[in-house]
């Protein structure tokens, strides 16, 4: 199995699929090709939330604002999974999650992918990452180290990318918006447990009820809930939370839980 | 084979795919993940028009404005097909169509799906429906009754959803817009046969020629035609019918066929 | 393997998939279903750039503004590939590319597809092209001539469609915009080699640096580069080239390379 994720829109992913299927007989599964464009941090959130749900596979992930620069192309093995990506931090959160989810002590190893000529300077998805993912799939993840395309490197020397940890100031949890989803739901980095027992809270001063399902408020009304990823979300029933709360990815989200409930 | 249809946009369907492929080795086929959002009636139209074209399969269908409420999760077997969905009527039109299309007397049975903890309150696609679809696929549709996740229920006790039947008032067929497609074509519930022999008709008083192909009118001009689903459509050659006729899903569409032609 | 490409948006491609999978057990791969709508020339560009990357397969390609008129439905074999499409030129550029890419003298043959009743007048993707593609896939491309659906025709009698060749006027290359991609990158018909050694050029009088990667200019700034297809592209770092250069598909793109650099 080989999954694909990118911010390439359409029809560029088809070029990657053609390259892969010309080299290996794989079941292809699209994760998404409209990951947050040129935003490795937001894209890394979605990879962390989706890839660990899959059985062992090769995962081709490309959100690559630095394409054509000297940023490295890397592959990382975590147990029976292998991931291929630009070295911009995109992989680090999902690699940590995969390692945490695996019983025992899974083999983890990082490799630099050789960029062979003639690679285009603008479409390494087709010219570098897809061939590498196909090569790893064809060979088998457990034999990744034998690939002539790959040279061992230190994972700790790869670019890291960590989501911020919220801090607490009295009855305010000082958080941040990680991503806004396709529905306009605003996903923060504040763990859902912070809302345990809270019936009403504020986000940057804007009050909303804390509920467990959208329909507990009228259509068009704001709500706070613990989303499917386990974090506090700022949403609107049948509407867009990002617009109602005035929030975008990267914004501060100070959540006040001290109000009388 | 396992098909997937939802209004989840992106990248949430990937979570369902990961859950499924972790549990069963299925050929996945996406029907659509941009079904009319939170609109089970319009979505049910598309399911009825597409799912019966497939060979026997498990069909995972989620348009679920009531997620997290006490609406049931259900599975329905129709012959060699099985369908999994929230109990909001979404499945009923396609179940009727599948039963009609099947020779003889196909076995039809409905089941309630157990909602196991810890299911999120907002993403039953990942936590309830995908596991159930995978379980049915892995077991085989003919052995669906053996699944420990499922309890038999009466199909007639499930929420029903029927498309309205047009009525006739003299030379006016009083219909309704079922859905507007991605091109802006307005699909009514009026059977195409009503336009047989008619060369010009009106929709809510707006006149347009009745033609069999779009190019019979100039680009930008309105037309009426019998669409690929067999219903009267209000369209525009190289344009959007919904804008030109001022129609949206659920609107009345009174089609006058009495004009001199 | 059977690839699908269309301008059908959603959920119409699912109808084609159902028809195909009811008739043949194929690995389906979506190329794109948002090819430039009703624009066979722009769509033909994308087919030419993607399909040749695939291993031998049946390729179902439908961008069909003439659906329901008397335009023919055709199938073309090129070596171990077969392509199915309306006879509007859509296939000709990719057929030439496949023939050029194949060693030796691949068998090339064209066929007219019988349009059987009852085919809808508006959805030949479902009613004509998908069944033909499934039939060819099931039979095998090397036995395409045995299909009862197909009658041999002369490929040269099919509608052709050629991309214009740029002309040179002194230090100006008189080109044209072939397509604008999903990112807003403007892809011209001017071969990248024309920019060899050039450090700054103009497009219709608008100057921009010639660079090999986007990040050589500041975010929001214009640039010219040789894109992944080998043609000159007019782009913006982290922005839309079509807006910054005021260019759309079909526009003239006169590229001046005579400035002091």
């Amino acid at each position: 199995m080989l999954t694909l994720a990118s911010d390439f829109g359409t029809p560029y992913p088809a070029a990657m699929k053609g390259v892969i299927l010309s080299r290996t007989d794989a079941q292809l599964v699209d994760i998404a090709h409209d990951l947050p464009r040129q935003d490795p941090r937001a894209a890394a959130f979605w990879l962390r939330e989706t890839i660990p749900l899959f059985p062992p596979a090769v995962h081709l992930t490309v959100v690559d604002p630095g394409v054509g620069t000297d940023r490295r192309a890397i592959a990382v093995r975590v147990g029976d999974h292998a991931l291929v990506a630009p070295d911009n931090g995109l992989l680090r959160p999902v690699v940590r999650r995969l390692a945490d989810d695996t019983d025992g002590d899974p083999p983890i190893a990082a490799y630099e992918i050789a960029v062979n000529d003639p690679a285009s300077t603008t479409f390494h998805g087709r010219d570098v990452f897809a061939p590498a993912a196909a090569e790893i799939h064809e060979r088998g993840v457990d034999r990744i180290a034998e690939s002539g395309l790959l040279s061992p490197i230190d994972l700790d020397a790869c670019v890291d990318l960590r989501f911020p940890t919220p801090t607490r100031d009295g009855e305010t949890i000082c958080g941040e918006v990680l991503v806004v989803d396709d529905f306009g739901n605003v996903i923060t980095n504040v763990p859902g447990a912070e809302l345990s027992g809270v019936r009403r809270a504020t986000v940057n001063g804007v009050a909303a009820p804390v509920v467990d399902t959208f329909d507990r408020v009228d259509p068009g009304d704001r709500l706070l809930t613990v989303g499917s990823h386990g974090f506090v979300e700022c949403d609107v029933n049948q509407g867009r939370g990002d617009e109602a709360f005035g929030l975008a990815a990267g914004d501060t989200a100070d959540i006040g839980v001290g109000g009388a409930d």
Side-chain angles (χ1 to χ4, degrees), chain A residues 17-228:
Chain A
K17 293 179 187 181
V19 166
I20 292 165
L21 294 170
S22 290
R23 294 165 186 238
T24 189
D25 181 22
Q27 179 181 14
L28 301 186
V29 184
D30 287 313
I31 288 188
H33 293 290
D34 45 8
L35 290 177
R37 193 157 274 180
Q38 308 221 4
D39 183 349
R41 197 185 83 146
F45 174 83
W46 292 116
L47 297 180
R48 186 187 71 179
E49 298 300 320
T50 52
I51 284 178
L53 297 168
F54 280 82
V58 177
H59 307 283
L60 170 57
T61 64
V62 193
V63 174
D64 191 15
V67 62
T69 67
D70 59 1
R71 66 97 190 89
R72 294 189 294 192
I74 61 171
V76 179
R77 175 186 182 184
V78 187
D80 296 324
H81 291 271
L83 305 101
V84 169
D87 181 16
N88 60 18
L90 184 64
L91 285 186
R92 301 299 296 274
V94 64
V95 163
R96 274 191 286 272
R97 178 72 60 90
L98 285 169
D100 288 348
D101 286 355
T102 308
D103 289 334
D105 217 12
I108 299 180
Y111 303 89
E112 179 169 0
I113 300 168
V115 176
N116 291 316
D117 291 322
S120 69
T121 52
T122 55
F123 195 9
H124 282 192
R126 179 191 67 191
D127 298 339
V128 176
F129 298 112
E135 149 86 8
I136 295 168
H137 182 274
E138 182 66 15
R139 185 179 297 275
V141 171
D142 57 330
R143 296 177 55 201
I144 189 172
E146 299 169 22
S147 168
L149 280 177
L150 304 180
S151 314
I153 54 175
D154 185 354
L155 179 59
D156 290 332
C158 295
V159 174
D160 203 354
L161 180 160
R162 287 177 180 274
F163 300 112
T165 304
T167 57
R168 193 165 183 123
D169 179 8
E171 293 187 312
T172 300
I173 302 115
C174 304
E176 188 178 317
V177 176
L178 292 180
V179 295
V180 174
D181 76 10
D182 206 32
F183 291 75
N185 298 320
V186 175
I187 304 170
T188 74
N189 66 339
V190 177
E194 297 283 4
L195 292 187
S196 179
V198 176
R199 291 173 56 188
R200 196 166 177 82
T202 58
V203 181
N204 298 344
V206 178
V210 177
V211 294
D212 56 356
T213 65
F214 281 49
D215 77 321
R216 298 293 168 95
V217 304
D218 289 334
D221 279 2
R222 293 187 193 90
L223 64 100
L224 298 173
T225 193
V226 181
S228 62

